[in-house]
Amino acid sequence: MFWRSLEILVSLSLSSVVLALNNGVGVTPAMGYNPYNAFLCTTTEAQYHAAAQSLVSLGLSALGYHYFNLDCGWQSTARDSAGKITWDPKILPSGVPALGTFVHNLGLKFGVYSDLGIFACDFVGGTAHYVGSLGHETSDAATFASWGADLAKIDNCYAVNSTDFVDFNPPISIEAHYITMRDAFAATGRPILFSACEWGVQDPARWPGSSVANSWRISNDIGPPASWDNLFRIINQVVPITQFAGPGGFNDLDMLEVGNSGLTAAEQQTHFAFWAAAKSPLIISTDLTNPSAQTLSILKNTRIIALNQDALGKSISFKRRYTNDHDVWSGPLADGSTVAVVINWENASRSLTFNLADIGFSSATATDLITGTSLGKLTTSYTTTVAAHGSIVLKLAAGVAVASPTFTYYAATSGTLAGGAATRAVNSSVSVVGFVGNGGTLTLSGVDGGTAGGTKLLAFDYINGDLTFTNTACSNCRNTFVSVNGGAAVQVQMPISAQSWDILLSGYLVSLPGFKAGKTNTITLSNPSAFAPDFYRVGVAV
Ligand SMILES: *[C@@H]1O[C@H](CO)[C@@H](O)[C@H](O)[C@H]1NC(C)=O
Ligand SMILES: *[C@@H]1O[C@H](CO)[C@@H](O)[C@H](O)[C@H]1NC(C)=O
Ligand SMILES: *[C@@H]1O[C@H](CO)[C@@H](O)[C@H](O)[C@H]1NC(C)=O
């Protein structure tokens, strides 16, 4: 472990690497397998064995998918006579230590699973429950270490009490549970990659220095069943927390649905590339008995895997949304290049133009990371055909920076409020206008359209804490309808700015036509059927 860490430090040369959770493992996102999305909590010993063997025989472990993990259902409903956690002999007749040996003998790393609740997650209900680790952290960590665990995924069911199965707003500190477990793992002396699975309910990305775990789930489950709506919900949810991903501690966007029904090939490709570039753990979770060539080609794309395992460990971040059209995300890589991920939101294959200015470049040399094709030097933009919900994934080098626009800002609180819109003090220095929508409107007047008017670039600073764990019409986002000078209102879809109502998202960009020359323009914000975010200010590019 020491040598592996040293090697990574050396490869990053003299840059100062601060590891989030410095436990010798999880310096890059975990890659591996977990049966849950395919087999839920009923995975049998034969299925575990077959999947572990497939991970090797299909050539996946050789590409970095090393962690072979248990999920729910392996446990017994009672502890042994010594109070130790133990397995269900019907599910695992040979026992967990034997499975660990089997996995290690294949050259894989072994991941265990438990839960920081009174019971563990189950579909049982009633009185029979798998045992949980809450209150047994030291004992269970020692047991897992003695079984040869290299990773531990720790879930969050029954964390509050014995009847509260899944609580998305628990009245207790979940963070304290995970700190206790982290320290219990540290006390074993065995490096165990700590995969926290509290579903993002208490914003674990913002726990102290992100140093509680090597990765933390940011959202409710991705499935099963897999769906594009689930991906949309999770992509919006990661918008405000991408900056917290770094070596030793990563946002976990949940296990992969690649290979499972419910997503088209293009959607699976987008899912895989986005998860990789966001530095989510890449945990395969499909039946590997007879995977399709398409599934394997997505999972085995070494250029996309390299994005995920890039030594810099930085996530892509949200750059721009063209509502109902496409998203632009980008982030830095260790070699000084940039990765861009452009998602086609349209439900059809179409020609899509990616503007390099959206990631701050006027030109750059590009490689298509899905196909490996070198695209040469791109100037201003890149246009190509993209499948419905497919994506463009580019590695960009030798980028030439474009000058960033400057904005004249109009404070929301200086606008005209009508129909219930109201000012709210966030703190002593920031006030916003809320209750825009459902009849409430905010109108900014005296807006400068410059000498020519026409189409202008706007920058919104807003607060949207409308967090959701289920799929809605706008999951983890809110719509604003923006009208310039009383013209047709344009839908602008704004992701959450945080999980609370006191953190701004600054610089959400949208281009809108209809400005007149001079300082007599108006901008009206509304939403006929729902609430928009709370607005701090709107900038108009000069
Ligand atoms: C369990 O916790 C939930 C959520 O706080 C609460 O509504 C419920 O009353 C609690 N049940 C018991 C038995 O304490
Ligand atoms: C795609 O189709 C869904 C389901 O019909 C619809 O809700 C959504 O608005 C469509 N998206 C776009 C961008 O047209
Ligand atoms: C007020 O809130 C804003 C938005 O989150 C934040 O940037 C600022 O630092 C806060 N100021 C104070 C004085 O707390």
Side-chain angles (χ1 to χ4, degrees):
M1 289 309 147
F2 172 73
W3 289 109
R4 179 157 170 261
S5 308
L6 188 66
E7 194 177 283
I8 285 158
L9 290 174
V10 168
S11 75
L12 274 177
S13 69
L14 297 174
S15 65
S16 54
V17 178
V18 179
L19 292 174
L21 178 54
N22 192 358
N23 59 353
V25 287
V27 176
T28 60
M31 292 175 63
Y33 181 87
N34 177 306
Y36 181 80
N37 285 344
F39 300 106
L40 297 174
C41 302
T42 60
T43 317
T44 63
E45 185 168 283
Q47 286 168 327
Y48 279 118
H49 283 172
Q53 282 167 323
S54 295
L55 210 54
V56 177
S57 64
L58 293 170
L60 291 162
S61 60
L63 298 176
Y65 296 98
H66 290 305
Y67 286 99
F68 184 83
N69 305 315
L70 299 174
D71 208 285
C72 53
W74 69 270
Q75 314 96 314
S76 173
T77 53
R79 291 178 174 269
D80 73 10
S81 54
K84 286 168 62 174
I85 195 166
T86 189
W87 56 88
D88 178 352
K90 293 189 300 300
I91 289 276
L92 292 167
S94 309
V96 175
L99 180 58
T101 301
F102 181 88
V103 166
H104 284 146
N105 286 345
L106 287 168
L108 300 170
K109 295 181 184 298
F110 183 47
V112 298
Y113 169 93
S114 191
D115 185 287
L116 277 169
I118 291 159
F119 305 123
C121 300
D122 55 43
F123 297 107
V124 182
T127 51
H129 295 286
Y130 306 125
V131 297
S133 288
L134 190 64
H136 302 271
E137 293 85 354
T138 305
S139 164
D140 289 359
T143 300
F144 296 147
S146 77
W147 292 348
D150 304 301
L151 176 153
K153 172 180 173 181
I154 306 294
D155 227 325
N156 191 35
C157 294
Y158 299 103
V160 178
N161 61 43
S162 61
T163 56
D164 194 9
F165 175 35
V166 169
D167 196 330
F168 292 123
N169 189 20
I172 56 166
S173 167
I174 297 299
E175 176 185 350
H177 288 179
Y178 282 85
I179 287 174
T180 303
M181 195 77 226
R182 172 198 64 190
D183 294 345
F185 283 128
T188 68
R190 183 176 174 89
I192 296 175
L193 192 153
F194 186 20
S195 161
C197 181
E198 65 80 87
W199 326 307
V201 298
Q202 287 182 348
D203 214 355
R206 293 177 199 273
W207 290 354
S210 302
S211 60
V212 176
N214 296 110
S215 63
W216 46 87
R217 277 277 301 281
I218 67 153
S219 67
N220 195 5
D221 291 1
I222 192 171
S227 74
W228 184 242
D229 289 347
N230 288 336
L231 302 187
F232 178 71
R233 166 174 54 83
I234 295 171
I235 288 170
N236 281 332
Q237 199 165 347
V238 80
V239 167
I241 52 173
T242 52
Q243 69 274 25
F244 297 112
F250 298 99
N251 292 313
D252 181 349
L253 279 60
D254 204 359
M255 299 177 287
L256 298 171
E257 289 282 14
V258 176
N260 297 336
S261 60
L263 296 173
T264 67
E267 289 169 344
Q268 293 183 34
Q269 177 67 73
T270 295
H271 166 38
F272 186 67
F274 189 95
W275 264 230
K279 299 324 193 249
S280 175
L282 295 181
I283 306 297
I284 299 167
S285 197
T286 192
D287 185 354
L288 288 178
T289 315
N290 191 18
S292 70
Q294 171 200 296
T295 296
L296 289 177
S297 82
I298 293 171
L299 294 173
K300 296 176 85 168
N301 185 325
T302 53
R303 294 172 298 274
I304 304 292
I305 291 171
L307 284 180
N308 185 250
Q309 298 295 303
D310 185 80
L312 193 62
K314 296 265 190 222
S315 172
I316 49 170
S317 59
F318 175 75
K319 292 295 184 297
R320 188 153 175 183
R321 173 161 298 173
Y322 295 81
T323 299
N324 294 326
D325 194 288
H326 69 279
D327 255 22
V328 180
W329 294 63
S330 69
L333 298 172
D335 65 2
S337 65
T338 297
V339 58
V341 179
V342 181
I343 303 171
N344 177 19
W345 293 124
E346 280 197 12
N347 293 327
S349 174
R350 42 77 72 103
S351 172
L352 198 165
T353 296
F354 160 47
N355 295 315
L356 267 62
D358 287 345
I359 62 166
F361 293 145
S362 57
S363 68
T365 306
T367 305
D368 180 328
L369 293 180
I370 296 176
T371 62
T373 308
S374 170
L375 303 175
K377 183 179 173 183
L378 305 180
T379 303
T380 312
S381 65
Y382 173 60
T383 300
T384 190
T385 301
V386 182
H389 303 168
S391 45
I392 301 171
V393 185
L394 301 181
K395 181 168 177 165
L396 299 152
V400 177
V402 74
S404 26
T406 46
F407 295 94
T408 301
Y409 285 99
Y410 302 88
T413 51
S414 70
T416 304
L417 281 52
T423 296
R424 171 172 75 92
V426 174
N427 57 36
S428 58
S429 57
V430 170
S431 287
V432 294
V433 172
F435 296 104
V436 174
N438 285 322
T441 60
L442 165 62
T443 300
L444 302 169
S445 305
V447 174
D448 190 356
T451 52
T455 296
K456 291 281 166 191
L457 182 66
L458 276 60
F460 288 85
D461 290 4
Y462 67 82
I463 293 179
N464 173 11
D466 194 359
L467 179 71
T468 183
F469 293 93
T470 55
N471 297 337
T472 65
C474 194
S475 308
N476 293 312
C477 57
R478 282 187 169 189
N479 287 303
T480 306
F481 289 81
V482 186
S483 165
V484 177
N485 294 322
V490 176
Q491 181 195 350
V492 180
Q493 190 185 65
M494 297 174 163
I496 56 169
S497 62
Q499 298 198 3
S500 55
W501 285 92
D502 56 356
I503 298 176
L504 284 165
L505 188 152
S506 295
Y508 179 103
L509 300 175
V510 59
S511 280
L512 291 173
F515 285 87
K516 302 175 289 192
K519 299 188 178 177
T520 59
N521 293 278
T522 61
I523 298 171
T524 300
L525 311 182
S526 66
N527 182 323
S529 58
F531 283 115
D534 291 359
F535 294 97
Y536 175 52
R537 61 181 188 172
V538 180
V540 178
V542 291

